[in-house]
Amino acid sequence: MGINLLIIAILLLLPSKVFAFALNGTTYPIIEPSILAQIKAGARKIEAHPNRLRKMFKKKLMDYVPTHAYLPPARKSYIFYHDVIYKLPNSIPRVQNGHIVGILYPKGFTFHVLRYLPFDFPTLVIFDMKNKYQRFYVEKKYGDDNPEAMLLTTAGDLKDILKMSKHIKKPVYANIGKLDERFGVKNTISIVKRSFIRLDDVRVNVIGMNYLINYYEKNHKK
């Protein structure tokens, strides 16, 4: 008992820092960074070098490559019709007076999309802008004098796409959706239009490389 009292007395006489070490070991101050201070520091860097940061972000943006749905070029031209069918991923309930009373359309139910589309949609031109023959043909046939066509490229980064858009004075889009699957498209160039003969279908005119090379040689100014 006397030894315990002696140890306690010695600890009480030690400086507070030593006392803290004796009880808990080495102690260190904890300094948490201020979020506001970090934001202000970042803002000061932007203010100090605005042009440098603007150029850096612009370069990253121009080098951005969309996730294209790539399609190989067709060797020969051909035409086909495709029935645009949509399959429900989930069931659609039947509702009466605000209450679900059953299933209106079950999961997996399919229907012909164009039957429910009373208006026409723009001509879709799906091509590869990195292919010089396809690009030349699209620029000549579907430039600013053909406003109803929607151009979808299966290749190219954002810089390429914007450059072509500026050249032909018409928007060019990345084919990042599943339009190739929806319309049965397998090759470029594919020109998709609604068929007014087979009302449930689209008519897809595929232009092959044999024709495109011949077209380029006849119309390109050397």
Side-chain angles (χ1 to χ4, degrees), residues 81 114 193-203:
Y81 292 85
L114 296 184
K193 293 183 178 182
R194 185 172 188 171
S195 171
F196 291 98
I197 299 175
R198 301 168 61 170
L199 299 181
D200 289 340
D201 298 355
V202 291
R203 183 180 185 273

Side-chain angles (χ1 to χ4, degrees), residues 81-96:
Y81 292 85
H82 180 75
D83 189 355
V84 184
I85 296 176
Y86 180 75
K87 181 185 291 187
L88 288 177
N90 301 294
S91 297
I92 296 179
R94 183 185 297 276
V95 179
Q96 289 183 354

Side-chain angles (χ1 to χ4, degrees), residues 145-163:
D145 59 342
N146 198 321
E148 79 278 3
M150 182 175 180
L151 308 183
L152 302 166
T153 180
T154 61
D157 57 25
L158 184 59
K159 180 170 55 181
D160 295 328
I161 294 172
L162 293 177
K163 185 177 180 180

Side-chain angles (χ1 to χ4, degrees), residues 22-120:
L23 293 179
N24 303 306
T26 305
T27 59
Y28 301 95
I30 299 175
I31 302 176
E32 295 184 2
S34 169
I35 296 178
L36 182 59
Q38 290 180 319
I39 293 174
K40 288 181 177 179
R44 283 194 293 270
K45 289 182 180 179
I46 294 174
E47 291 174 357
H49 306 284
N51 293 332
R52 184 191 307 172
L53 290 172
R54 191 179 296 112
K55 290 180 181 178
M56 180 184 69
F57 286 125
K58 183 178 180 180
K59 184 179 184 304
K60 287 185 178 181
L61 184 62
M62 291 298 102
D63 292 340
Y64 171 71
V65 180
T67 306
H68 297 284
Y70 176 75
L71 299 171
R75 182 177 296 276
K76 296 181 179 180
S77 300
Y78 61 95
I79 295 174
F80 70 93
Y81 292 85
H82 180 75
D83 189 355
V84 184
I85 296 176
Y86 180 75
K87 181 185 291 187
L88 288 177
N90 301 294
S91 297
I92 296 179
R94 183 185 297 276
V95 179
Q96 289 183 354
N97 300 322
H99 299 283
I100 297 176
V101 296
I103 300 297
L104 183 62
Y105 296 106
K107 177 182 178 180
F109 179 83
T110 59
F111 62 93
H112 302 275
V113 176
L114 296 184
R115 291 183 186 178
Y116 305 90
L117 194 66
F119 53 88
D120 196 9

Side-chain angles (χ1 to χ4, degrees), residues 125-159:
V125 182
I126 305 173
F127 73 107
D128 179 357
M129 70 177 300
K130 304 298 283 186
N131 183 310
K132 73 174 185 178
Y133 302 107
Q134 294 190 17
R135 179 168 179 160
F136 181 80
Y137 180 85
V138 169
E139 288 180 350
K140 288 292 184 181
K141 292 287 187 177
Y142 296 97
D144 56 351
D145 59 342
N146 198 321
E148 79 278 3
M150 182 175 180
L151 308 183
L152 302 166
T153 180
T154 61
D157 57 25
L158 184 59
K159 180 170 55 181

